[in-house]
Every structure is written in structure tokens, then in C-alpha cells.
Amino acid sequence: MAKIRYSIVAPCYNEEGNIRELHRRIGEVMDQTGETWELVLINDGSRDRTPELMRELHELDPRVHYLDFARNFGHQIAVTAGMDYAQGEAIILIDSDLQDPPELILEMIEKWKEGYKVVYAIRSERKGETWFKLFTAKLFYRLIYRITDVDIPLDTGDFRLMDRQVVDTMKRMRERHRFIRGMTSWVGFKQTGVYYVRQERFAGETSYPLRKMLKFASDAITGFSYFPLQLATYMGFIVAALSGVGMVGVILARLIGQQAFFGQATTLVMVLFLGGIQLICLGIIGEYLGRIYDEVKDRPLYVVNQAVGFEKIPEIPEFAGRAEPKVGHLS
Ligand code: UDP
Ligand code: MG
């Protein structure tokens, strides 16, 4: 088979209403390049007809390759698997609900040909999302920007093009709690952005409720920053300074003859206050500890039920030195 130039990677979780249209739009756009491409779909444990539709698409158009996960592993892991299996020289990540317009890929490819290794898409506007989602997303991007150690561009999602060199580097980063956009920034290389208007979903509804968004945010923060751990130190200094001031106050009050200064209630409030701070700090340490535990267990990032259409087994630590797990046969 001819060498594949572009791999479009789209994770799918309950996207039966979208993937046919996705394939049509991607085809329209990619055929304009006049170069070879593959569409890599990942079924992330969908409960609807998504996997059947994937097989249908593959039979109809052999450029559609797909992975079927043994269960739902989450968006970031699905994208990771897609990057592991993708064979192209440039890899494009895109959501399968058509919120990211495929037409933008052409602009990304142009930048790539100019020599940029990462071209990320910046959302200049978002359509059809609640004010709550817009507000929390804005807050999230700014918070991440402030407290993490890598420069993660504001208002960018995972919609991006990455050069083979970048993807091969990221394949060596096997952390479990993944924040792909942080990881792409960490890798470095020449990067640039293109602007686009984020569209409404073509069909179906979001599978990112508040609970998942919070987990995503905490993965992003713990993955790229020690700031929460340092909070304990800061709070310790602040409380110590306050108690120093308090001590002086109490001594002065005694000196000017006030006897029954401060009562039981004050003590109680102080004890509870400090107890609260200590529990929060313990919780923060717990968050990091849990993640360390997950890393130490060293389980594979995902389990593939079936990989269809790919030429070879990916070169990643999961598969190194051992045969492809039985569940992950190529067909
Ligand atoms: N997705 C996935 N696994 C999940 C949740 C979502 O693969 O557990 C996919 C989903 O099919 C879509 C993309 O990730 O292609 C973004 O999800 P969604 O549209 O629900 O999130 P939003 O765009 O609202 O942030
Ligand atoms: Mg979406």
C-alpha cells in the first residue's frame, strides 16, 4: 500500500448520528489535497450502533480504519490510541461530532508545509453551548495557563495537526491521566495556531458533563503543575503569620488588664479552621498519590477488542517485547 500522508484521528463515543456525515465531510476536504489519507476512528465503548457503522464505512471505503475498545476509556485515551495506530506523516485530531469543521484541516496542512510541527486550532467563537460551559471553559483555560509550567495556548481544544516527529515523541509519554494539549506543548518544536468558529454538534449530545470536566481539569493541573502541593506551604506561612499577630494582640490585651479575653468559641473556630485546612492539604496530597499509584501499577492505557485496516502493530511500550495481546488482533 502507498505511504499514507495524512491520518485523521476521531474518537467516537455514542456518535451513531455523526460518523457517516463526518466521513463524508472529511472525504470532501481530504480529496482536495490530492494526497493519500486514512480516517482512524476509535470506538470508545459506545452503547449505540457506532461500531456497526464503523465496519460499514470500512467496507465502503478502505481508507477508514478503526479500533474497537473493550470498554469506555475516555476521550483522551481514545485519542492516544488513535495516535498510536495512525500511520500518516501528519496526524490530525478532530472530534467526531463535527464541532470542529474539517475544512480547517486544509489551512493546517498549509502551515505544516511551511514547516510548523504542530498547528493547533484556536476557538475564536463557540456556537450552541450553554453560558455555563463557556464560562467554565474560559476560567479553566486561564487557570491552567497561570499555574502550569508549560505554555498551553488559550482557548484551544484537541483539534490540531501534529507532525510524525511530534507524535512519535508523544508515544513515549505513557502517563495515565492524560492532557493531550499540555503534552503537545511540552514536546516543543515549532508551533502555530489557526482560528476557527466552534460549531454546534451535528447530532447527539455532549458526553462531557460537569463531573467529567472537573476530572479533566484536575488531570490537567496535577499533570503539569505542583502548585496545589505548594499551596500547603503557602497556607502554613499565612496561618503562622496570622497566629503571630494574634499572639501579640493577646499579650497586649492582657497587659492592659483585660482578663477574660477570647473564649471557648474562638478556640473552637480556630481548631475547626485549621482542621479544615489540614484535610484539604491531605486531599491534595491524596490526588497526587492516587495518580502515582496508577502509574506504578503500569497497566496498559487501553484494551483493544479489534483493530481493523491497520498495516502494523504500533511501536509503543505496551507492545514492546511481547506479542500483541490476543484481544488486539489486526484484521
Ligand atoms: N468522546 C470519547 N469518549 C468519551 C467521551 C467523548 O471518545 O468518553 C469523544 C466524543 O465522541 C467526541 C469527543 O470525544 O468525538 C468530544 O466529546 P463531546 O463532544 O461529548 O465533548 P464536548 O465537545 O462537549 O466538549
Ligand atoms: Mg463535542
Side-chain angles (χ1 to χ4, degrees), residues 95 97 99 198 201:
D95 279 359
D97 55 5
Q99 283 195 284
R198 185 139 162 106
R201 260 180 165 270

Side-chain angles (χ1 to χ4, degrees), residues 5-6 14 54 59 79 82 87 90 124 147 150 164 168 171 183-184 195 203 244 286 305 328-329:
R5 185 88 156 142
Y6 305 110
N14 299 338
M54 283 182 182
E59 276 158 13
V79 169
Q87 304 159 85
S124 56
I147 70 170
V150 284
R164 165 61 44 206
D168 282 346
K171 274 190 190 175
M183 293 166 61
T184 359
Y195 287 89
N305 171 40
H329 65 90

